[in-house]
Amino acid sequence: QLQLQESGPGLVKPSETLSLTCTASGGSISNRHYFWGWIRQPPGKGLEWLGSIYYDGATYYNASLNSRVTISVDTSKNQFSLKLTSVTAADTAVYYCARQGQTVGRMSWFDPWGQGALVTVSS
Amino acid sequence: QSALTQPASVSGSPGQSITISCTGTSSDVGSYDLVSWYQHHPGKAPKLMIYEVTKLSSGVSNRFSGSKSGITASLTISGLQAEDEADYYCCSYAGSSTLVFGGGTKLTVL
């Protein structure tokens, strides 16, 4: 059964780059039936889709993040990663990674999700 | 794109049925049958409940069901149980390889 685990620094300084990695076990990132996504939840707020990646490296991003997001994949390590540049306190959130299904080539549901990683932006 | 609109909170007594709405636009919910619903207990990973508007995720109780009419999708929970108390989020494909979530609904079981 596929499991996902986020890892990375829990504290990032303002204006610096947030970096997180999602490691998959029990399944392959190279499975062409799925996309792989990042979602976040700021304290007291709802979920926000950040972006997704296909095993071949094709990426899709939430335009509201103004090109600050980069997602990459390392199939040799069965991992995919998130980088968010120029962070501010507003980027403080729990960050989740998840496998994404697709229907007729369009991104669809998220399942399963990782447990989430709290990242705080503070000096 | 703007977040899908969900009621901030709903409540119901054990055994009752409740419905959570998720209103989008003709560019997302209204155009694609790619709405999914998630149950989120604080501190835990969100759980997929419904996908592609009406399909029940594996292992999820058939007390949960989904539907859509126009630009509004709905999640119905019948036979409400205490364990159903959680936050619920809808999500829709929004075209051009993008996705949008709803603002979330807190379900209270009285």
Side-chain angles (χ1 to χ4, degrees):
Chain A
Q1 183 173 349
L2 180 73
Q3 292 186 311
L4 300 172
Q5 180 65 58
E6 305 88 350
S7 60
L11 181 64
V12 181
K13 291 182 168 55
S15 80
E16 295 191 345
T17 296
L18 179 159
S19 296
L20 291 171
T21 295
C22 181
T23 301
S25 58
S28 173
I29 292 279
S30 299
N31 189 324
R32 62 188 62 198
H33 294 292
Y34 303 108
F35 291 84
W36 305 90
W38 286 97
I39 307 100
R40 71 179 179 182
Q41 183 177 34
K45 296 189 177 182
L47 299 172
E48 179 184 28
W49 172 70
L50 303 180
S52 302
I53 192 165
Y54 195 47
Y55 81 100
D56 63 359
T59 51
Y60 311 90
Y61 298 128
N62 186 334
S64 69
L65 292 162
N66 297 322
S67 303
R68 294 193 296 130
V69 177
T70 302
I71 297 175
S72 59
V73 64
D74 187 338
T75 54
S76 68
K77 295 182 178 178
N78 221 27
Q79 296 176 334
F80 61 106
S81 299
L82 170 75
K83 290 190 186 301
L84 181 66
T85 61
S86 305
V87 297
T88 69
D91 294 309
T92 293
V94 176
Y95 287 76
Y96 296 97
C97 61
R99 182 181 64 178
Q100 249 180 298
Q102 56 173 311
T103 303
V104 292
R106 293 167 174 154
M107 296 184 289
S108 184
W109 45 262
F110 295 98
D111 181 61
W113 297 55
Q115 284 298 309
L118 173 62
V119 180
T120 301
V121 178
S122 175
S123 55
Chain B
Q1 67 270 33
S2 299
L4 306 176
T5 300
Q6 299 181 231
S9 62
V10 299
S11 62
S13 299
Q16 288 186 331
S17 294
I18 62 96
T19 296
I20 299 172
S21 62
C22 169
T23 301
T25 69
S26 58
S27 297
D28 38 61
V29 175
S31 287
Y32 308 97
D33 288 336
L34 293 175
V35 176
S36 51
W37 288 91
Y38 303 87
Q39 179 189 65
H40 190 201
H41 289 106
K44 292 194 169 184
K47 177 183 177 183
L48 174 67
M49 306 302 281
I50 298 284
Y51 66 102
E52 294 174 15
V53 178
T54 61
K55 297 179 181 178
L56 201 63
S57 182
S58 178
V60 172
S61 170
N62 59 11
R63 297 185 297 106
F64 291 81
S65 62
S67 62
K68 190 184 87 166
S69 178
I71 62 170
T72 299
S74 298
L75 173 72
T76 298
I77 308 174
S78 59
L80 210 55
Q81 299 180 0
E83 68 209 47
D84 299 332
E85 185 163 293
D87 297 322
Y88 290 84
Y89 293 90
C90 60
C91 179
S92 176
Y93 182 76
S96 301
S97 298
T98 64
L99 293 155
V100 61
F101 278 96
T105 299
K106 181 178 179 59
L107 169 62
T108 300
V109 179
L110 301 171

